[in-house]
Amino acid sequence: MMTNDQKRLKIFLAISFGMPVILGILLGIAFYGGKDVNAFPLVWMFLPASAVMIASLATGKTQRDESGEEVGPPKVFFGTFLAFAAALIICAVLSAWLPGTAAYVAANFLVIFSSLVCLIELLCMKKQRRKAWGLSLTASWKKSLLGVLTFALLYLILSGLSIAAVWILTGSVQGFSLNPYWAVNLATALPLNFVLSFTAFLGEEYGWRYFLQGELIQRFGRRKGVILLGLLWGVWHLPLNLFYYSPQTSLQSIITQLAGCVGMGIFFGWVYLRTRNVWAVTATHFLNNNLGLMLFGVSAAGVTLGWGDTLLSVALYMIVYLPFLLTKEFRKEGQ
């Protein structure tokens, strides 16, 4: 007979990987119909956390706090998050049929509004419930800050290595330029953007690192579990690779995505194993998606990738992130 935890995992997998298939069909129709598809990636990011929340509510899941008492889910917070996720899905569906960018603009406002409302609810939530459900704002904050800063440093190292490799291979770094407002962006725009968009990044990390990482580690061990999560995370992006990130060079995009998700999944997994703080990996995920835009004006959409770009990216991801598998966090047993 299936246990509640097994039911929870099955519901999570069905939603988090089933919805991208359904939405992916709509995304393909919209892309080939010449519609604006920018609302779809925002929806994607809300799916994993939504899957955890629905699965937890459907199975009556409780968590034990430090005193051993069972604590039910934060129903108001979960309900609010799920309501905004549903509204975003509607925006994406509408964008597949409506002309113009109105649906995308509405989706951005929904992300901003959801972040403000969810922040208020988190601050009003009892500390005991936040901690029991992996939403503690202060857990291991020193290690969390160190993990975020380490990622920022590694991101700059990766960028520098990539630029150096291109210069060595081609003798030029044409097209690369540092945003003249990079310092202002880092000091003001970056933190403000995080406050106004954190629900999207929590939407992934509450599903991947908080929930699924523990489930896979329990079944396969730390190293295999985190690597498998990276592969699943990469496959989950497949419709976006085909119809959003790099439609003209989708195979290269898929390979780069898989390598990036495995590599960053190892690092994100390392941060979460050290801190048990979902906000640490939420912040690192936010930096990964926004540092390039803030520093260099680089966007992830509509990129054309050559095989040289792909092989270089795969090599750099492996060189920078694979060594974290040798750290003590991955040598320990258990979750």
Side-chain angles (χ1 to χ4, degrees):
M1 188 173 180
M2 192 183 301
T3 66
N4 264 3
D5 285 343
Q6 289 172 329
K7 288 179 182 177
R8 188 181 180 216
L9 177 60
K10 287 196 171 184
I11 293 171
F12 170 83
L13 293 174
I15 295 172
S16 57
F17 288 93
M19 283 300 295
V21 174
I22 298 170
L23 291 170
I25 295 171
L26 286 173
L27 173 57
I29 292 171
F31 173 76
Y32 285 114
K35 305 296 184 182
D36 180 80
V37 296
N38 285 297
F40 282 90
L42 295 176
V43 175
W44 242 256
M45 297 180 78
F46 275 71
L47 295 178
S50 297
V52 175
M53 294 173 185
I54 292 171
S56 298
L57 293 170
T59 58
K61 176 69 176 177
T62 60
Q63 302 285 11
R64 292 190 181 275
D65 63 14
E66 291 177 334
S67 65
E69 293 184 13
E70 292 190 349
V71 179
K75 292 182 179 180
V76 174
F77 178 78
F78 281 9
T80 299
F81 190 96
L82 290 171
F84 279 110
L88 280 165
I89 290 173
I90 292 171
C91 282
V93 171
L94 290 175
S95 73
W97 309 108
L98 297 177
T101 61
Y104 174 57
V105 172
N108 273 289
F109 275 111
L110 283 171
V111 172
I112 293 170
F113 192 41
S114 71
S115 296
L116 294 174
V117 174
C118 285
L119 178 60
I120 293 171
E121 290 187 2
L122 280 167
L123 294 174
C124 293
M125 191 186 301
K126 289 184 178 180
K127 184 178 179 181
Q128 177 190 30
R129 194 177 302 276
R130 278 204 309 263
K131 192 167 186 180
W133 282 87
L135 293 165
S136 174
L137 299 170
T138 57
S140 305
W141 70 268
K142 290 183 180 178
K143 288 183 178 179
S144 299
L145 179 60
L146 179 61
V148 174
L149 294 176
T150 300
F151 179 79
L153 177 61
L154 291 176
Y155 187 96
L156 294 176
I157 290 172
L158 267 172
S159 299
L161 289 174
S162 180
I163 294 165
V166 170
W167 182 77
I168 291 170
L169 293 172
T170 67
S172 170
V173 289
Q174 187 176 2
F176 168 79
S177 61
L178 187 65
N179 189 319
Y181 302 105
W182 67 269
V184 175
N185 286 340
L186 292 182
T188 58
L190 200 65
L192 180 60
N193 281 358
F194 179 72
V195 172
L196 296 178
S197 66
F198 77 84
T199 46
F201 303 95
L202 180 68
E204 285 202 47
E205 294 308 318
Y206 197 68
W208 302 139
R209 250 55 64 176
Y210 166 73
F211 177 71
L212 189 56
Q213 178 169 293
E215 295 289 330
L216 294 178
I217 285 176
Q218 189 176 41
R219 289 162 174 78
F220 302 103
R222 291 196 171 194
R223 291 192 178 101
K224 290 180 182 177
V226 167
I227 291 171
L228 178 57
L229 174 55
L231 290 170
L232 290 172
W233 187 23
V235 170
W236 176 80
H237 286 89
L238 181 60
L240 297 176
N241 295 118
L242 293 174
F243 307 120
Y244 182 74
Y245 292 139
S246 186
Q248 305 305 317
T249 52
S250 55
L251 181 57
Q252 294 93 317
S253 177
I254 292 167
I255 293 171
T256 303
Q257 185 79 62
L258 285 170
C261 285
V262 170
M264 284 185 291
I266 290 169
F267 182 81
F268 288 8
W270 173 76
V271 171
Y272 191 72
L273 287 170
R274 276 173 58 85
T275 66
R276 304 296 175 179
N277 188 336
V278 74
W279 299 104
V281 284
T282 297
T284 52
H285 196 148
F286 168 80
L287 287 180
N288 177 69
N289 287 33
N290 287 275
L291 268 181
L293 183 62
M294 294 288 181
L295 293 175
F296 312 118
V298 176
S299 173
V303 177
T304 301
L305 296 170
W307 283 110
D309 302 318
T310 300
L311 294 174
L312 176 61
S313 295
V314 171
L316 290 177
Y317 282 132
M318 297 303 102
I319 290 170
V320 171
Y321 293 120
L322 278 183
F324 283 92
L325 288 174
L326 303 176
T327 60
K328 64 180 181 180
E329 284 74 20
F330 284 101
R331 292 198 298 268
K332 295 177 181 177
E333 296 297 326
Q335 295 187 46

